Amino acid sequence: MTQLCLRVALVAALLVPGFAQAGAYLRVVSWNLRHEGWNGETDYASDAKQIWSQFGSNSTSPNGCDVVFLQEVMDSTAAAGIASALKTVSGVTWSYAVTPLVGRSSYKEMYAVVYRTDTVSLLSSSLYSDTNDVFEREPQIVKVRQVATGADFTFINWHTVFGTTAEREVEVRAIDTVFNSVQNASGTDQDVILLGDHNAACTSAWWGDLTGSVSPAVTCKLDVLTSLNSTGGYANAYDHFWMQSTYVTELSSTGRDYVADTLWLVNNLSDHAPVWLKMYSTSDTD
């Protein structure tokens, strides 16, 4: 009788979708690391400790992270250094992908995605095809799959031009074309998330084309002060997560990473605090 019950339970687990599949969180960090890889900006061990040990909005948040999106990466060795440092601090293996250097002038940056190989599969990483040269740094488009649940997500990693006010406005007003293009390019994954350093608050009227012309509605899920001034004070709300709640039903929470000493951070690592989001899923919803 005991063996019969076990067999019935096993068959039920195989036949009922999701019955035997546990839910899991996908923990995401986005961080502008300020000329990462240049002289004086190579403290990868401290970067990794901030990412892994301070994920969350307070000092008691559980350690851990699954995928990190970086802006202002100056060469591929910086991404490799952070992946190696994350392995040291976490005890698990990390990999990474970088874009080519992008920028119109002699000053150029890379985007990078760094991810745990046991929890995340990287499906693709590419640069948006900016045929009309609208963006100083065309966004990185990254598709990942959560290993535990099979859920797929597409991220748009974007560092908006700072330049003049007019230049920033042009780029922010044009990002809706990127969002639409990325979403329309996939018939199987509608979970699109825009993140990065956007050099504009979510309340700015410049976002009107994104919030008003994309359907279903795109909304900002984080609008808190994230950039740091020279005294360690929070100055501007520049780093965000934008998504369609209709599609990204997995969203659990977002926040600005806990920083133990903001003055130390701005003097040693970056003039931005990392931001994070958590998503919970049991299967792929697309």
Side-chain angles (χ1 to χ4, degrees), residues 82-109:
I82 290 175
S84 177
L86 279 167
K87 180 178 180 180
T88 298
V89 74
S90 68
V92 296
T93 300
W94 294 72
S95 189
Y96 67 93
V98 296
T99 67
L101 288 164
V102 289
R104 296 190 184 104
S105 67
S106 58
Y107 173 78
K108 301 181 186 299
E109 302 173 4

Side-chain angles (χ1 to χ4, degrees), residues 165-183:
T165 300
E167 288 170 333
R168 292 198 298 275
E169 180 177 359
V170 166
E171 287 204 357
V172 172
R173 287 195 180 278
I175 197 63
D176 66 301
T177 60
V178 179
F179 199 101
N180 268 325
S181 174
V182 170
Q183 189 182 76

